[in-house]
């Protein structure tokens, strides 16, 4: 390798070559780069497609949801396509709900699907941040944080 590269653990996580960043795992790259700004904001039709095509997600009122989404939540919807919440076939909606509860995030799971909040912007953002793996618990304080910042989640 004759370009800038980053290894996380024993595996190559990213390669920067000729002004392009190549990577295999969004989760690995998020550990050292805030990539939220690189994701485009999902359009109404893209959000609708993500929700209708996912076997793990549902929304009871997409029209209301589309009325409360903002730039951040639109980018989080774009990030979901690379998230284990969508891609990992061995990770059920029920298991994701259990993990969320252990991390202080309330996700409603009905009929084997995670119900995406459509009435409350704060609940929507918290759910999407969790599903996009942007949440962690501080090891010393045991506080919940949004990754790449120290801003407490509310």
């Amino acid at each position: 390798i004759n370009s800038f590269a980053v290894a996380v653990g024993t595996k190559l996580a990213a390669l920067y070559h000729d002004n392009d960043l190549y990577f295999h795992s969004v989760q690995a790259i998020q550990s050292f780069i805030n990539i939220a700004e690189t994701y485009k904001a999902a359009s109404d039709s893209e959000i609708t497609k993500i929700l209708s095509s996912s076997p793990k997600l549902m929304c009871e009122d997409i029209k209301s949801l589309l009325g409360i989404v903002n730039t951040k939540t639109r980018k989080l919807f774009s990030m979901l396509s690379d998230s284990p919440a969508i891609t990992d076939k061995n990770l059920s909606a029920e298991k994701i709900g259990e993990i969320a509860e252990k991390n202080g995030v309330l996700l409603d799971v009905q009929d084997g699907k995670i119900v995406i909040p459509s009435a409350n912007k704060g609940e929507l953002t918290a759910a999407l941040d969790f599903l996009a793996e942007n949440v962690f618990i501080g090891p010393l304080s045991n506080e919940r944080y949004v990754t790449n910042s120290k801003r407490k989640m509310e």
Side-chain angles (χ1 to χ4, degrees):
I1 296 176
N2 56 9
S3 299
F4 176 75
V6 176
V8 177
T10 59
K11 295 182 179 180
L12 181 66
L15 174 65
Y16 184 74
H17 180 69
D18 290 338
N19 241 9
D20 289 320
L21 180 65
Y22 301 92
F23 59 93
H24 178 66
S25 167
V26 171
Q27 287 70 37
I29 207 122
Q30 284 184 138
S31 68
F32 57 91
I33 296 174
N34 180 359
I35 61 171
E37 293 302 315
T38 64
Y39 278 89
K40 69 178 189 74
S43 67
D44 288 357
S45 61
E46 289 168 327
I47 291 171
T48 302
K49 182 179 178 183
I50 290 166
L51 292 171
S52 63
S53 64
S54 171
K56 295 182 194 175
L57 302 177
M58 67 175 282
C59 181
E60 294 174 334
D61 188 350
I62 291 180
K63 187 174 182 178
S64 291
L65 170 73
L66 295 175
I68 65 168
V69 293
N70 56 23
T71 301
K72 178 180 179 172
T73 53
R74 287 179 182 281
K75 286 183 180 188
L76 288 169
F77 269 110
S78 287
M79 293 176 75
L80 279 184
S81 61
D82 296 322
S83 169
I86 302 291
T87 60
D88 188 339
K89 291 179 177 29
N90 296 317
L91 193 57
S92 69
E94 290 82 4
K95 183 65 176 171
I96 293 169
E98 291 170 15
I99 295 167
E101 187 175 342
K102 289 178 185 175
N103 284 277
V105 177
L106 297 177
L107 290 181
D108 184 17
V109 178
Q110 296 177 14
D111 300 322
K113 292 190 172 203
I114 298 163
V115 179
I116 299 298
S118 60
N120 181 296
K121 195 178 295 189
E123 290 175 5
L124 173 63
T125 302
L128 294 176
D129 266 329
F130 178 79
L131 293 171
E133 295 198 302
N134 290 344
V135 175
F136 74 97
I137 305 295
L140 301 176
S141 66
N142 209 30
E143 293 282 345
R144 266 185 313 154
Y145 295 101
V146 177
T147 53
N148 297 314
S149 79
K150 297 298 179 215
R151 183 175 51 94
K152 289 183 185 179
M153 292 182 62
E154 300 186 329

